[in-house]
PDB file of all heavy atoms in Angstrom:
ATOM      1  N   GLU A   3      78.934  81.675 120.160  1.00  0.00           N
ATOM      2  CA  GLU A   3      79.945  80.756 120.686  1.00  0.00           C
ATOM      3  C   GLU A   3      81.262  80.931 119.949  1.00  0.00           C
ATOM      4  O   GLU A   3      81.304  80.999 118.722  1.00  0.00           O
ATOM      5  CB  GLU A   3      79.464  79.316 120.544  1.00  0.00           C
ATOM      6  CG  GLU A   3      80.380  78.360 121.266  1.00  0.00           C
ATOM      7  CD  GLU A   3      79.658  77.083 121.648  1.00  0.00           C
ATOM      8  OE1 GLU A   3      78.422  77.087 121.725  1.00  0.00           O
ATOM      9  OE2 GLU A   3      80.357  76.098 121.883  1.00  0.00           O
ATOM     10  N   LEU A   4      82.306  81.010 120.722  1.00  0.00           N
ATOM     11  CA  LEU A   4      83.628  81.289 120.151  1.00  0.00           C
ATOM     12  C   LEU A   4      84.579  80.178 120.556  1.00  0.00           C
ATOM     13  O   LEU A   4      84.588  79.749 121.706  1.00  0.00           O
ATOM     14  CB  LEU A   4      84.128  82.629 120.705  1.00  0.00           C
ATOM     15  CG  LEU A   4      85.550  83.030 120.326  1.00  0.00           C
ATOM     16  CD1 LEU A   4      85.628  83.434 118.868  1.00  0.00           C
ATOM     17  CD2 LEU A   4      86.013  84.186 121.211  1.00  0.00           C
ATOM     18  N   LYS A  53     100.596  83.065 118.365  1.00  0.00           N
ATOM     19  CA  LYS A  53     101.790  83.439 119.128  1.00  0.00           C
ATOM     20  C   LYS A  53     102.562  82.263 119.735  1.00  0.00           C
ATOM     21  O   LYS A  53     103.649  82.450 120.242  1.00  0.00           O
ATOM     22  CB  LYS A  53     101.412  84.441 120.217  1.00  0.00           C
ATOM     23  CG  LYS A  53     101.036  85.807 119.643  1.00  0.00           C
ATOM     24  CD  LYS A  53     100.881  86.864 120.702  1.00  0.00           C
ATOM     25  CE  LYS A  53      99.727  86.602 121.641  1.00  0.00           C
ATOM     26  NZ  LYS A  53      98.395  86.633 120.971  1.00  0.00           N
ATOM     27  N   GLU A  82     113.140  96.210 121.841  1.00  0.00           N
ATOM     28  CA  GLU A  82     114.073  95.625 122.811  1.00  0.00           C
ATOM     29  C   GLU A  82     115.195  94.850 122.130  1.00  0.00           C
ATOM     30  O   GLU A  82     116.185  94.488 122.767  1.00  0.00           O
ATOM     31  CB  GLU A  82     113.305  94.696 123.774  1.00  0.00           C
ATOM     32  CG  GLU A  82     112.441  95.474 124.761  1.00  0.00           C
ATOM     33  CD  GLU A  82     111.405  94.600 125.453  1.00  0.00           C
ATOM     34  OE1 GLU A  82     111.432  93.366 125.279  1.00  0.00           O
ATOM     35  OE2 GLU A  82     110.547  95.166 126.157  1.00  0.00           O
ATOM     36  N   GLN A 104     101.121 100.683 125.944  1.00  0.00           N
ATOM     37  CA  GLN A 104     100.332  99.471 126.217  1.00  0.00           C
ATOM     38  C   GLN A 104     100.029  98.729 124.918  1.00  0.00           C
ATOM     39  O   GLN A 104     100.102  97.503 124.861  1.00  0.00           O
ATOM     40  CB  GLN A 104      98.994  99.845 126.886  1.00  0.00           C
ATOM     41  CG  GLN A 104      99.080 100.225 128.347  1.00  0.00           C
ATOM     42  CD  GLN A 104      99.392 101.691 128.580  1.00  0.00           C
ATOM     43  OE1 GLN A 104      99.927 102.384 127.723  1.00  0.00           O
ATOM     44  NE2 GLN A 104      99.067 102.168 129.767  1.00  0.00           N
ATOM     45  N   ARG A 108     101.769  94.783 122.584  1.00  0.00           N
ATOM     46  CA  ARG A 108     101.071  93.667 121.936  1.00  0.00           C
ATOM     47  C   ARG A 108     101.049  93.791 120.416  1.00  0.00           C
ATOM     48  O   ARG A 108     101.191  92.808 119.704  1.00  0.00           O
ATOM     49  CB  ARG A 108      99.603  93.626 122.413  1.00  0.00           C
ATOM     50  CG  ARG A 108      99.441  93.415 123.892  1.00  0.00           C
ATOM     51  CD  ARG A 108      99.701  91.993 124.291  1.00  0.00           C
ATOM     52  NE  ARG A 108      98.546  91.144 124.027  1.00  0.00           N
ATOM     53  CZ  ARG A 108      98.574  89.829 124.126  1.00  0.00           C
ATOM     54  NH1 ARG A 108      99.680  89.215 124.469  1.00  0.00           N
ATOM     55  NH2 ARG A 108      97.499  89.109 123.880  1.00  0.00           N
TER      56      ARG A 108
ATOM     57  N   MET B   1      78.249  76.100 126.994  1.00  0.00           N
ATOM     58  CA  MET B   1      79.527  76.282 126.295  1.00  0.00           C
ATOM     59  C   MET B   1      80.676  75.903 127.236  1.00  0.00           C
ATOM     60  O   MET B   1      80.680  76.254 128.407  1.00  0.00           O
ATOM     61  CB  MET B   1      79.669  77.743 125.879  1.00  0.00           C
ATOM     62  CG  MET B   1      80.855  77.977 125.005  1.00  0.00           C
ATOM     63  SD  MET B   1      80.692  79.520 124.071  1.00  0.00           S
ATOM     64  CE  MET B   1      80.925  80.745 125.331  1.00  0.00           C
ATOM     65  N   SER B  51      95.619  98.821 132.761  1.00  0.00           N
ATOM     66  CA  SER B  51      96.999  98.411 132.484  1.00  0.00           C
ATOM     67  C   SER B  51      97.500  97.340 133.447  1.00  0.00           C
ATOM     68  O   SER B  51      97.311  97.437 134.666  1.00  0.00           O
ATOM     69  CB  SER B  51      97.942  99.621 132.591  1.00  0.00           C
ATOM     70  OG  SER B  51      97.640 100.556 131.585  1.00  0.00           O
ATOM     71  N   LEU B  54     102.360  91.860 131.197  1.00  0.00           N
ATOM     72  CA  LEU B  54     102.352  90.473 130.727  1.00  0.00           C
ATOM     73  C   LEU B  54     103.810  90.160 130.414  1.00  0.00           C
ATOM     74  O   LEU B  54     104.385  90.786 129.517  1.00  0.00           O
ATOM     75  CB  LEU B  54     101.484  90.385 129.472  1.00  0.00           C
ATOM     76  CG  LEU B  54     101.531  89.081 128.681  1.00  0.00           C
ATOM     77  CD1 LEU B  54     100.884  87.955 129.455  1.00  0.00           C
ATOM     78  CD2 LEU B  54     100.835  89.259 127.333  1.00  0.00           C
ATOM     79  N   ARG B  57     105.917  93.201 130.127  1.00  0.00           N
ATOM     80  CA  ARG B  57     105.577  94.226 129.139  1.00  0.00           C
ATOM     81  C   ARG B  57     104.211  94.808 129.457  1.00  0.00           C
ATOM     82  O   ARG B  57     103.264  94.080 129.732  1.00  0.00           O
ATOM     83  CB  ARG B  57     105.554  93.650 127.719  1.00  0.00           C
ATOM     84  CG  ARG B  57     106.917  93.385 127.175  1.00  0.00           C
ATOM     85  CD  ARG B  57     106.929  93.376 125.661  1.00  0.00           C
ATOM     86  NE  ARG B  57     108.239  92.924 125.244  1.00  0.00           N
ATOM     87  CZ  ARG B  57     108.494  91.707 124.738  1.00  0.00           C
ATOM     88  NH1 ARG B  57     107.515  90.866 124.524  1.00  0.00           N
ATOM     89  NH2 ARG B  57     109.728  91.367 124.424  1.00  0.00           N
ATOM     90  N   GLU B  68      94.777  83.910 126.726  1.00  0.00           N
ATOM     91  CA  GLU B  68      96.143  84.196 126.270  1.00  0.00           C
ATOM     92  C   GLU B  68      97.142  84.279 127.424  1.00  0.00           C
ATOM     93  O   GLU B  68      98.351  84.337 127.186  1.00  0.00           O
ATOM     94  CB  GLU B  68      96.181  85.516 125.487  1.00  0.00           C
ATOM     95  CG  GLU B  68      95.512  85.456 124.138  1.00  0.00           C
ATOM     96  CD  GLU B  68      95.667  86.783 123.427  1.00  0.00           C
ATOM     97  OE1 GLU B  68      96.665  86.957 122.724  1.00  0.00           O
ATOM     98  OE2 GLU B  68      94.789  87.657 123.596  1.00  0.00           O
ATOM     99  N   ASN B 134      97.539 106.577 129.093  1.00  0.00           N
ATOM    100  CA  ASN B 134      96.755 106.577 130.332  1.00  0.00           C
ATOM    101  C   ASN B 134      96.006 107.894 130.433  1.00  0.00           C
ATOM    102  O   ASN B 134      96.605 108.944 130.664  1.00  0.00           O
ATOM    103  CB  ASN B 134      97.670 106.399 131.553  1.00  0.00           C
ATOM    104  CG  ASN B 134      98.281 105.025 131.613  1.00  0.00           C
ATOM    105  OD1 ASN B 134      99.247 104.748 130.902  1.00  0.00           O
ATOM    106  ND2 ASN B 134      97.719 104.148 132.426  1.00  0.00           N
TER     107      ASN B 134
END
Side-chain angles (χ1 to χ4, degrees):
Chain A
E3 189 156 339
L4 175 72
K53 290 189 295 296
E82 288 164 7
Q104 284 86 338
R108 299 284 280 171
Chain B
M1 188 160 72
S51 295
L54 170 69
R57 286 204 188 106
E68 290 183 89
N134 291 79

